[in-house]
Each structure stands twice: as C-alpha cells, then as structure tokens.
Amino acid sequence: MTRKKLLVTGGAGFIGGNFVQYMVNKYPQYDIYNLDLLTYAGDLTKHKEIQEKDNYFFVKADIADRETILNLFEKEQFDYVIHFAAESHVDRSITDPEVFVRTNVMGTQVLLDAARLNNITKFVHVSTDEVYGELDFNPTTFFTEETPLQPNSPYSASKASSDLLVRAYHETFGLPVNITRCSNNYGPYHFPEKLIPLTISRVLNDEKVPVYGDGKNIRDWLHVLDHCAAIDLVMHEGINGEVYNVGGHNERTNLEVVKTIISTLGKSEDLIEFVKDRLGHDKRYAIDPTKLENLGWKPTYTFETGIAQTIQWYLDNKEWWEQIISGEYQNYFQNQYSLK
Ligand code: NAD
Ligand code: TDX
C-alpha cells in the first residue's frame, strides 16, 4: 500500500508544531511534510525529537510563492493539506496589516490553487473564532457555525477572507475542504508575545505583566493537544465543505488567567500593570462545539489541568523561551508596551 503524504503548513509555529509532533508519532504510516517560511514565529529546535524520524520532512518555503508551491505539489502529490501557516498576532496586525493580507489571504489562495490542480483528498483550513467578531458578556450566547462573520481586527479580517476563499473553492471547483474555527489555544511552545506565555515568562522573571484595559475581556481557552485531536478527527471524518468550531467551554477573563498564573508561581499580584487597551479589542469569545462533539470529539483538558501542565512546561523548558525573548523580541516588546 502506498504511504499517505500529509503537508502541514506552519509546522514550525505553535499549533502547527504541536500538530506535526502529534501526527509523526501517531501515524508512522504517513509521511509528514512540514512547510514553513521560518518567520519570527517559526523555530525548528522544537522538533529535535522527531527530526531524525523516517516519516518527517521539512521544506522551507513561502506559501505565497506561487511557483515554488505549484512545483512542490506537482512533485510530491500530497493526499492531505493541513493549513496552519499565518501571521497570527492581533497586535502585530494593528501596527502592520499588510503582511497579514499577503500571507493569510494570498498565501491561502496559492495553496488552494495547488491543491485543486493536484487532486488532493482533503484540505483542512485552520481558522479562528475571531472571524465571528465579538460576543457580549451574556454567558448563554456562543459562536456557532451559523454565526455571521464580522471580523474586527486586520488579523481576523484576513482570516475571514481566507475562509471565504476556501468556501468558494469548494463551491466552484468541488475542492474537498473543511474549515475549523477554534478558540484561544495554549500549551507547550506558545510564542511569548501571546497572553499566557507572556505572563508566565514575565512573572518568572519578576517583571510587570501588561493587562489591556480593565482585564475583563473574556477568552475561551483550548489546550493545543485537544485542538490537534480535533484536527486529526476532521481530517479523517469531516464532511466535505463543512465548518467545525473547536472549543471546550473554558471561559476566563484575562485578569483571572493572569492571577491564576501569578498564584501558581507564588508571586505577587503587584506585578499586574493595567495598560492602554488594544484598539478594537473584542469583548468576549465563546464557542459552541456541539457539531464537532457529534462527530466524536471531546476535550481531555480542563483549564485547571491544562494551565498547571503548561506552567510546568515553561518551568522545565526555560532555554526554549529564554532564547526567544532575548533576541529581536526585545525590540518588539519595547515598541508594543511602555511598561515601567
Ligand atoms: P504561529 O504564529 O505560532 O505560527 C505560524 C507559523 O507560520 C510560523 O511557524 C511561521 O514561520 C509560519 N509562516 C508565517 N508566514 C508564512 C509564510 N508566508 N509561508 C510559510 N510559513 C509561514 O501561529 P499559531 O498560533 O500556531 O497559529 C496557527 C494557525 O492557527 C493560524 O492560522 C492561526 O490563525 C490559527 N489560530 C490560532 C489560535 C491561537 O490561539 N494561537 C487560535 C485560533 C486559530
Ligand atoms: O499583553 C497582553 N495583554 C493583554 O491583556 C496581551 C498580549 C494580550 N492581552 C489580552 C488581549 C486578549 O483579550 O489577552 C487576551 C488574549 O490575547 P492574545 O494572547 O493576543 O490572543 P487573542 O488576541 O485573543 O488571539 C488569539 O486567539 C485567537 C491568537 O493570537 C489568534 O491567532 C487566534 O486566532
């Protein structure tokens, strides 16, 4: 039997990186190709335990480079494409939106063309709940797959645009696609510009933690390994053309998240500093995952078990995040925040 070939884009990043490791270990019978441009958010040191495996391959490429991508697809004849590669940080999309359109919209369109011309079995587009805009604080309202798209940031607008292209390639060309829209992920290898790893790394260094506005905005936290299992399921069992929301009902205010980390690490809440709010800051995200649960998915982490495991991981893997925050990240941090 010929081996299945799986192309994972963005596999040097946070979620794509966890997914590559999960798939390489779970499916020795699949060849897993990790395609990544290695931007500031990509790093391959996380893959030292799988890089020698026979079923893992790395390709350095830009998803928006049409010629390279078309040649690669023609040569390798992938069965599955799982598309994570993106510019992913909302704050960066506020200061520099252009690269978000190039990578998230144009890059996705190049991949869709390559997939369409090479008869793939499935294209899974990893999107976000942010495309739905924001919810109010009424705890009984949730995003479903039917919620209209109302993105508020340049990041979420670029993701919504890519979602619409994926949908159109299914309707127009019959491309076998799924779109997944997940809530905020957290877990190992989360880049320290995002709230949870930023807080853990700064608290461990006894540095101030910037909380936007009043800290009452709500996010719905999903452990990255529960997300990986969801994508594995959608890839194999998802009905072509369908959207699946991924989330585990773990809503917390930002302040609750920051205080949980501070108390777990035995530090003082004096480290919290309220700073200027994010522009267009979405109030609340919360996912109704019923459709995916009906397909057979169930999260295994609660926020309590997941955050404890994640904090421990950052304690055990200091060299990984210290190497990141000591480089170009310093300039980013100084420009983004004016902390005392
Ligand atoms: P990340 O920023 O950690 O990683 C993105 C990866 O994409 C990096 O390895 C980067 O080098 C690569 N990349 C960027 N531009 C590229 C290009 N032009 N060509 C090839 N590779 C390129 O992102 P993440 O947090 O792992 O998010 C992965 C996906 O999941 C994104 O599509 C994001 O929109 C989506 N998502 C993330 C979250 C979250 O909480 N992190 C939640 C919902 C959805
Ligand atoms: O320094 C900070 N202070 C702060 O209060 C940062 C970085 C964030 N925040 C707040 C803003 C948000 O309400 O914390 C919340 C979480 O912020 P981020 O970690 O930047 O995530 P968010 O903007 O919610 O987006 C994330 O989830 C959806 C991912 O980065 C996106 O890629 C994904 O689509």
Side-chain angles (χ1 to χ4, degrees), residues 9-16 35-43 61-64 83-89 102-103 126-129 155 159 182-186 190-191 193-194 227:
T9 71
F14 163 46
I15 309 175
L35 182 148
D36 199 293
L37 183 58
L38 300 180
T39 69
Y40 79 93
D43 105 283
D62 179 351
I63 56 167
H83 176 33
F84 294 92
E87 288 294 332
S88 70
H89 193 35
R102 183 182 182 279
T103 296
V126 180
S127 188
T128 169
D129 59 0
Y155 162 71
K159 292 297 290 188
C182 65
S183 58
N184 285 58
N185 282 221
Y186 68 104
H190 203 182
F191 194 87
E193 66 190 346
K194 309 281 169 57
H227 187 194

Short mmCIF file of all heavy atoms in Angstrom, two decimals, residues 9-16 35-43 61-64 83-89 102-103 126-129 155 159 182-186 190-191 193-194 227, ligand 1:
data_model
loop_
_atom_site.label_atom_id
_atom_site.label_comp_id
_atom_site.label_asym_id
_atom_site.label_seq_id
_atom_site.Cartn_x
_atom_site.Cartn_y
_atom_site.Cartn_z
N THR A 9 1.30 23.09 6.71
CA THR A 9 1.94 24.41 6.58
C THR A 9 2.00 25.06 7.97
O THR A 9 1.11 24.86 8.79
CB THR A 9 1.17 25.33 5.62
OG1 THR A 9 -0.06 25.74 6.23
CG2 THR A 9 0.89 24.65 4.28
N GLY A 10 3.07 25.81 8.21
CA GLY A 10 3.21 26.48 9.52
C GLY A 10 3.57 25.52 10.64
O GLY A 10 3.31 25.79 11.81
N GLY A 11 4.22 24.42 10.28
CA GLY A 11 4.56 23.38 11.27
C GLY A 11 5.76 23.72 12.14
O GLY A 11 6.17 22.90 12.97
N ALA A 12 6.34 24.92 11.95
CA ALA A 12 7.40 25.35 12.88
C ALA A 12 6.85 26.32 13.92
O ALA A 12 7.58 26.80 14.77
CB ALA A 12 8.54 26.00 12.09
N GLY A 13 5.55 26.62 13.83
CA GLY A 13 4.92 27.54 14.78
C GLY A 13 4.33 26.79 15.97
O GLY A 13 4.62 25.61 16.19
N PHE A 14 3.49 27.48 16.70
CA PHE A 14 2.95 26.92 17.95
C PHE A 14 2.00 25.73 17.69
O PHE A 14 2.32 24.59 18.04
CB PHE A 14 2.26 28.05 18.72
CG PHE A 14 1.33 27.63 19.81
CD1 PHE A 14 1.69 26.65 20.74
CD2 PHE A 14 0.07 28.22 19.92
CE1 PHE A 14 0.81 26.26 21.76
CE2 PHE A 14 -0.81 27.84 20.94
CZ PHE A 14 -0.45 26.85 21.85
N ILE A 15 0.86 25.99 17.08
CA ILE A 15 -0.12 24.90 16.94
C ILE A 15 0.34 23.90 15.87
O ILE A 15 0.30 22.68 16.08
CB ILE A 15 -1.52 25.44 16.58
CG1 ILE A 15 -1.93 26.56 17.55
CG2 ILE A 15 -2.55 24.30 16.63
CD1 ILE A 15 -3.26 27.22 17.20
N GLY A 16 0.82 24.43 14.74
CA GLY A 16 1.32 23.54 13.68
C GLY A 16 2.45 22.65 14.19
O GLY A 16 2.55 21.48 13.82
N LEU A 35 5.96 22.42 6.00
CA LEU A 35 6.40 23.54 5.15
C LEU A 35 6.26 24.83 5.93
O LEU A 35 5.16 25.14 6.42
CB LEU A 35 5.53 23.59 3.88
CG LEU A 35 5.90 24.68 2.87
CD1 LEU A 35 5.62 24.20 1.45
CD2 LEU A 35 5.17 25.98 3.12
N ASP A 36 7.36 25.57 6.04
CA ASP A 36 7.31 26.78 6.87
C ASP A 36 8.37 27.76 6.36
O ASP A 36 9.45 27.36 5.95
CB ASP A 36 7.60 26.41 8.33
CG ASP A 36 7.12 27.48 9.30
OD1 ASP A 36 7.70 28.60 9.29
OD2 ASP A 36 6.19 27.21 10.07
N LEU A 37 8.04 29.05 6.42
CA LEU A 37 8.98 30.09 6.00
C LEU A 37 9.97 30.43 7.10
O LEU A 37 10.96 31.12 6.85
CB LEU A 37 8.18 31.35 5.59
CG LEU A 37 8.94 32.53 5.03
CD1 LEU A 37 9.75 32.16 3.79
CD2 LEU A 37 7.99 33.69 4.72
N LEU A 38 9.72 29.98 8.32
CA LEU A 38 10.56 30.32 9.48
C LEU A 38 10.63 31.84 9.67
O LEU A 38 11.70 32.45 9.63
CB LEU A 38 11.96 29.71 9.36
CG LEU A 38 12.00 28.18 9.27
CD1 LEU A 38 13.44 27.68 9.16
CD2 LEU A 38 11.31 27.54 10.47
N THR A 39 9.47 32.45 9.83
CA THR A 39 9.41 33.87 10.20
C THR A 39 9.82 33.98 11.67
O THR A 39 10.22 32.99 12.29
CB THR A 39 7.97 34.41 10.05
OG1 THR A 39 7.15 33.80 11.06
CG2 THR A 39 7.40 34.14 8.66
N TYR A 40 9.63 35.15 12.26
CA TYR A 40 9.97 35.34 13.68
C TYR A 40 9.26 34.30 14.55
O TYR A 40 9.73 33.97 15.64
CB TYR A 40 9.57 36.77 14.14
CG TYR A 40 8.08 36.89 14.44
CD1 TYR A 40 7.61 36.70 15.74
CD2 TYR A 40 7.17 37.13 13.42
CE1 TYR A 40 6.25 36.75 16.01
CE2 TYR A 40 5.82 37.19 13.69
CZ TYR A 40 5.36 37.00 14.98
OH TYR A 40 4.01 37.03 15.25
N ALA A 41 8.10 33.79 14.09
CA ALA A 41 7.28 32.89 14.91
C ALA A 41 7.62 31.41 14.72
O ALA A 41 7.09 30.56 15.43
CB ALA A 41 5.79 33.11 14.60
N GLY A 42 8.49 31.13 13.74
CA GLY A 42 8.80 29.72 13.45
C GLY A 42 10.15 29.33 14.01
O GLY A 42 11.09 30.11 13.96
N ASP A 43 10.23 28.13 14.56
CA ASP A 43 11.54 27.65 15.01
C ASP A 43 11.53 26.14 14.97
O ASP A 43 10.53 25.50 15.27
CB ASP A 43 11.89 28.23 16.40
CG ASP A 43 11.75 27.22 17.51
OD1 ASP A 43 10.61 26.93 17.92
OD2 ASP A 43 12.78 26.69 17.94
N ALA A 61 9.77 27.20 2.78
CA ALA A 61 9.15 27.89 1.64
C ALA A 61 8.09 28.86 2.13
O ALA A 61 7.58 28.76 3.25
CB ALA A 61 8.52 26.87 0.69
N ASP A 62 7.77 29.79 1.23
CA ASP A 62 6.75 30.82 1.49
C ASP A 62 5.46 30.37 0.81
O ASP A 62 5.46 30.14 -0.41
CB ASP A 62 7.28 32.14 0.88
CG ASP A 62 6.32 33.30 1.06
OD1 ASP A 62 5.18 33.09 1.50
OD2 ASP A 62 6.74 34.43 0.74
N ILE A 63 4.38 30.29 1.55
CA ILE A 63 3.13 29.81 0.94
C ILE A 63 2.63 30.77 -0.15
O ILE A 63 1.84 30.37 -1.01
CB ILE A 63 1.99 29.58 1.97
CG1 ILE A 63 1.71 30.84 2.81
CG2 ILE A 63 2.29 28.36 2.85
CD1 ILE A 63 0.41 30.77 3.60
N ALA A 64 3.10 32.01 -0.13
CA ALA A 64 2.65 32.96 -1.16
C ALA A 64 3.55 32.93 -2.40
O ALA A 64 3.30 33.67 -3.36
CB ALA A 64 2.62 34.37 -0.57
N HIS A 83 -3.59 23.31 6.81
CA HIS A 83 -3.03 24.65 6.60
C HIS A 83 -3.11 25.52 7.87
O HIS A 83 -4.17 26.04 8.21
CB HIS A 83 -3.80 25.30 5.44
CG HIS A 83 -3.42 26.71 5.16
ND1 HIS A 83 -2.14 27.21 5.33
CD2 HIS A 83 -4.17 27.77 4.72
CE1 HIS A 83 -2.13 28.49 5.00
NE2 HIS A 83 -3.34 28.86 4.65
N PHE A 84 -1.95 25.64 8.54
CA PHE A 84 -1.83 26.49 9.73
C PHE A 84 -1.10 27.80 9.44
O PHE A 84 -1.26 28.76 10.20
CB PHE A 84 -0.99 25.80 10.82
CG PHE A 84 -1.58 24.56 11.42
CD1 PHE A 84 -1.29 23.30 10.89
CD2 PHE A 84 -2.39 24.62 12.54
CE1 PHE A 84 -1.80 22.15 11.45
CE2 PHE A 84 -2.90 23.47 13.13
CZ PHE A 84 -2.61 22.24 12.57
N ALA A 85 -0.22 27.82 8.42
CA ALA A 85 0.71 28.95 8.27
C ALA A 85 -0.06 30.26 8.18
O ALA A 85 -1.00 30.39 7.40
CB ALA A 85 1.56 28.77 7.02
N ALA A 86 0.36 31.22 8.99
CA ALA A 86 -0.33 32.51 9.01
C ALA A 86 0.49 33.48 9.84
O ALA A 86 1.34 33.09 10.64
CB ALA A 86 -1.72 32.37 9.63
N GLU A 87 0.21 34.75 9.64
CA GLU A 87 0.56 35.75 10.64
C GLU A 87 -0.57 35.66 11.66
O GLU A 87 -1.75 35.73 11.29
CB GLU A 87 0.61 37.14 10.01
CG GLU A 87 1.81 37.36 9.12
CD GLU A 87 3.14 37.35 9.87
OE1 GLU A 87 3.15 37.70 11.06
OE2 GLU A 87 4.16 36.99 9.26
N SER A 88 -0.23 35.52 12.94
CA SER A 88 -1.27 35.12 13.91
C SER A 88 -1.48 36.09 15.06
O SER A 88 -2.37 35.85 15.88
CB SER A 88 -0.91 33.74 14.49
OG SER A 88 0.23 33.85 15.34
N HIS A 89 -0.70 37.18 15.15
CA HIS A 89 -0.84 38.01 16.36
C HIS A 89 -1.63 39.30 16.08
O HIS A 89 -1.21 40.13 15.28
CB HIS A 89 0.54 38.33 16.93
CG HIS A 89 0.48 38.91 18.32
ND1 HIS A 89 -0.46 38.51 19.24
CD2 HIS A 89 1.21 39.85 18.93
CE1 HIS A 89 -0.29 39.20 20.37
NE2 HIS A 89 0.72 40.02 20.20
N ARG A 102 -1.01 39.50 2.74
CA ARG A 102 -0.15 38.73 1.84
C ARG A 102 -0.13 37.25 2.25
O ARG A 102 -0.40 36.36 1.44
CB ARG A 102 1.27 39.31 1.85
CG ARG A 102 2.18 38.60 0.89
CD ARG A 102 3.60 39.14 0.94
NE ARG A 102 4.41 38.44 -0.05
CZ ARG A 102 4.95 37.24 0.15
NH1 ARG A 102 4.76 36.62 1.29
NH2 ARG A 102 5.66 36.65 -0.79
N THR A 103 0.17 37.00 3.51
CA THR A 103 0.32 35.59 3.94
C THR A 103 -1.04 34.91 4.08
O THR A 103 -1.28 33.83 3.52
CB THR A 103 1.08 35.53 5.28
OG1 THR A 103 2.39 36.04 5.08
CG2 THR A 103 1.15 34.11 5.81
N VAL A 126 -7.18 25.83 8.88
CA VAL A 126 -7.28 26.11 10.32
C VAL A 126 -7.54 27.60 10.51
O VAL A 126 -6.68 28.44 10.29
CB VAL A 126 -5.99 25.68 11.04
CG1 VAL A 126 -6.11 25.98 12.54
CG2 VAL A 126 -5.72 24.20 10.81
N SER A 127 -8.77 27.90 10.90
CA SER A 127 -9.13 29.30 11.09
C SER A 127 -9.38 29.58 12.58
O SER A 127 -8.88 28.84 13.44
CB SER A 127 -10.35 29.64 10.23
OG SER A 127 -10.58 31.04 10.28
N THR A 128 -10.13 30.61 12.87
CA THR A 128 -10.24 31.09 14.25
C THR A 128 -11.65 31.57 14.56
O THR A 128 -12.37 32.02 13.65
CB THR A 128 -9.25 32.26 14.46
OG1 THR A 128 -9.54 32.89 15.70
CG2 THR A 128 -9.37 33.32 13.37
N ASP A 129 -12.02 31.52 15.83
CA ASP A 129 -13.33 32.05 16.23
C ASP A 129 -13.39 33.58 16.08
O ASP A 129 -14.47 34.16 16.08
CB ASP A 129 -13.67 31.64 17.68
CG ASP A 129 -12.66 32.11 18.72
OD1 ASP A 129 -11.66 32.75 18.35
OD2 ASP A 129 -12.87 31.82 19.92
N TYR A 155 -6.16 41.25 11.51
CA TYR A 155 -5.88 39.81 11.57
C TYR A 155 -7.14 38.99 11.27
O TYR A 155 -7.15 38.13 10.39
CB TYR A 155 -5.32 39.42 12.95
CG TYR A 155 -5.42 37.93 13.23
CD1 TYR A 155 -4.61 37.02 12.57
CD2 TYR A 155 -6.35 37.43 14.16
CE1 TYR A 155 -4.71 35.66 12.81
CE2 TYR A 155 -6.45 36.07 14.41
CZ TYR A 155 -5.63 35.19 13.73
OH TYR A 155 -5.76 33.84 13.96
N LYS A 159 -8.17 36.46 8.15
CA LYS A 159 -8.56 35.05 8.31
C LYS A 159 -9.95 34.81 7.70
O LYS A 159 -10.19 33.80 7.04
CB LYS A 159 -8.56 34.65 9.79
CG LYS A 159 -7.18 34.59 10.44
CD LYS A 159 -6.24 33.55 9.86
CE LYS A 159 -6.64 32.13 10.18
NZ LYS A 159 -5.60 31.15 9.75
N CYS A 182 -11.26 27.62 15.87
CA CYS A 182 -11.03 27.26 17.26
C CYS A 182 -10.91 28.51 18.12
O CYS A 182 -10.68 29.61 17.63
CB CYS A 182 -9.77 26.43 17.38
SG CYS A 182 -8.32 27.34 16.92
N SER A 183 -11.04 28.29 19.41
CA SER A 183 -10.86 29.38 20.38
C SER A 183 -9.38 29.51 20.71
O SER A 183 -8.53 28.84 20.11
CB SER A 183 -11.70 29.10 21.61
OG SER A 183 -11.34 27.86 22.17
N ASN A 184 -9.06 30.35 21.69
CA ASN A 184 -7.65 30.62 22.05
C ASN A 184 -6.95 29.35 22.52
O ASN A 184 -7.35 28.75 23.52
CB ASN A 184 -7.58 31.63 23.18
CG ASN A 184 -7.87 33.04 22.73
OD1 ASN A 184 -8.95 33.30 22.18
ND2 ASN A 184 -6.94 33.95 22.94
N ASN A 185 -5.88 28.99 21.82
CA ASN A 185 -5.07 27.83 22.23
C ASN A 185 -4.03 28.26 23.26
O ASN A 185 -3.60 29.40 23.29
CB ASN A 185 -4.31 27.28 21.03
CG ASN A 185 -5.15 26.44 20.11
OD1 ASN A 185 -4.69 25.41 19.62
ND2 ASN A 185 -6.37 26.82 19.83
N TYR A 186 -3.60 27.28 24.06
CA TYR A 186 -2.46 27.48 24.95
C TYR A 186 -1.81 26.12 25.16
O TYR A 186 -2.42 25.08 24.89
CB TYR A 186 -2.90 28.09 26.30
CG TYR A 186 -3.73 27.14 27.14
CD1 TYR A 186 -3.17 26.49 28.24
CD2 TYR A 186 -5.04 26.84 26.80
CE1 TYR A 186 -3.91 25.58 28.99
CE2 TYR A 186 -5.79 25.94 27.55
CZ TYR A 186 -5.22 25.31 28.63
OH TYR A 186 -5.96 24.41 29.35
N HIS A 190 4.08 27.85 22.98
CA HIS A 190 3.29 29.04 22.64
C HIS A 190 4.23 30.24 22.66
O HIS A 190 4.92 30.47 23.64
CB HIS A 190 2.20 29.20 23.70
CG HIS A 190 1.01 29.99 23.26
ND1 HIS A 190 -0.03 30.25 24.10
CD2 HIS A 190 0.70 30.58 22.08
CE1 HIS A 190 -0.95 30.95 23.46
NE2 HIS A 190 -0.52 31.18 22.23
N PHE A 191 4.24 31.00 21.59
CA PHE A 191 5.21 32.11 21.44
C PHE A 191 4.93 33.19 22.48
O PHE A 191 3.78 33.64 22.62
CB PHE A 191 5.11 32.68 20.02
CG PHE A 191 6.25 33.57 19.65
CD1 PHE A 191 7.42 33.03 19.10
CD2 PHE A 191 6.19 34.93 19.85
CE1 PHE A 191 8.48 33.85 18.76
CE2 PHE A 191 7.26 35.76 19.51
CZ PHE A 191 8.40 35.23 18.96
N GLU A 193 4.71 36.22 22.85
CA GLU A 193 4.02 37.50 22.61
C GLU A 193 2.55 37.38 23.00
O GLU A 193 1.87 38.39 23.16
CB GLU A 193 4.12 37.89 21.13
CG GLU A 193 3.36 36.96 20.21
CD GLU A 193 3.61 37.17 18.73
OE1 GLU A 193 4.18 38.19 18.33
OE2 GLU A 193 3.22 36.26 17.94
N LYS A 194 2.03 36.16 23.17
CA LYS A 194 0.61 35.93 23.46
C LYS A 194 0.40 35.91 24.98
O LYS A 194 1.33 35.62 25.74
CB LYS A 194 0.15 34.60 22.84
CG LYS A 194 0.51 34.45 21.36
CD LYS A 194 -0.44 35.19 20.45
CE LYS A 194 0.01 35.29 19.00
NZ LYS A 194 0.27 34.09 18.28
N HIS A 227 -6.83 20.54 20.56
CA HIS A 227 -7.02 21.07 19.21
C HIS A 227 -6.43 20.12 18.16
O HIS A 227 -7.04 19.85 17.12
CB HIS A 227 -6.37 22.46 19.12
CG HIS A 227 -6.63 23.19 17.85
ND1 HIS A 227 -5.93 24.30 17.46
CD2 HIS A 227 -7.51 22.96 16.84
CE1 HIS A 227 -6.38 24.71 16.29
NE2 HIS A 227 -7.34 23.92 15.89
P1 NAD B 1 2.27 30.97 14.99
O1 NAD B 1 2.40 32.43 14.71
O2 NAD B 1 2.84 30.40 16.23
O3 NAD B 1 2.91 30.15 13.78
C1 NAD B 1 2.73 30.50 12.44
C2 NAD B 1 3.74 29.72 11.61
O4 NAD B 1 3.51 30.07 10.22
C3 NAD B 1 5.20 30.08 11.91
O5 NAD B 1 5.97 28.91 12.02
C4 NAD B 1 5.63 30.90 10.72
O6 NAD B 1 7.02 30.80 10.41
C5 NAD B 1 4.77 30.32 9.60
N1 NAD B 1 4.56 31.26 8.48
C6 NAD B 1 4.20 32.57 8.57
N2 NAD B 1 4.14 33.10 7.33
C7 NAD B 1 4.44 32.10 6.45
C8 NAD B 1 4.53 32.03 5.05
N3 NAD B 1 4.31 33.12 4.27
N4 NAD B 1 4.83 30.84 4.48
C9 NAD B 1 5.07 29.75 5.26
N5 NAD B 1 5.03 29.76 6.59
C10 NAD B 1 4.71 30.94 7.18
O7 NAD B 1 0.72 30.68 14.85
P2 NAD B 1 -0.20 29.66 15.70
O8 NAD B 1 -0.62 30.33 16.94
O9 NAD B 1 0.45 28.33 15.74
O10 NAD B 1 -1.48 29.60 14.75
C11 NAD B 1 -1.57 28.63 13.71
C12 NAD B 1 -2.87 28.82 12.96
O11 NAD B 1 -3.97 28.68 13.87
C13 NAD B 1 -3.02 30.20 12.33
O12 NAD B 1 -3.64 30.03 11.07
C14 NAD B 1 -3.94 30.95 13.29
O13 NAD B 1 -4.71 31.92 12.59
C15 NAD B 1 -4.80 29.83 13.81
N6 NAD B 1 -5.34 30.04 15.16
C16 NAD B 1 -4.51 30.25 16.23
C17 NAD B 1 -5.06 30.38 17.52
C18 NAD B 1 -4.21 30.58 18.73
O14 NAD B 1 -4.75 30.70 19.84
N7 NAD B 1 -2.89 30.61 18.64
C19 NAD B 1 -6.44 30.32 17.70
C20 NAD B 1 -7.25 30.15 16.59
C21 NAD B 1 -6.68 29.98 15.34
#
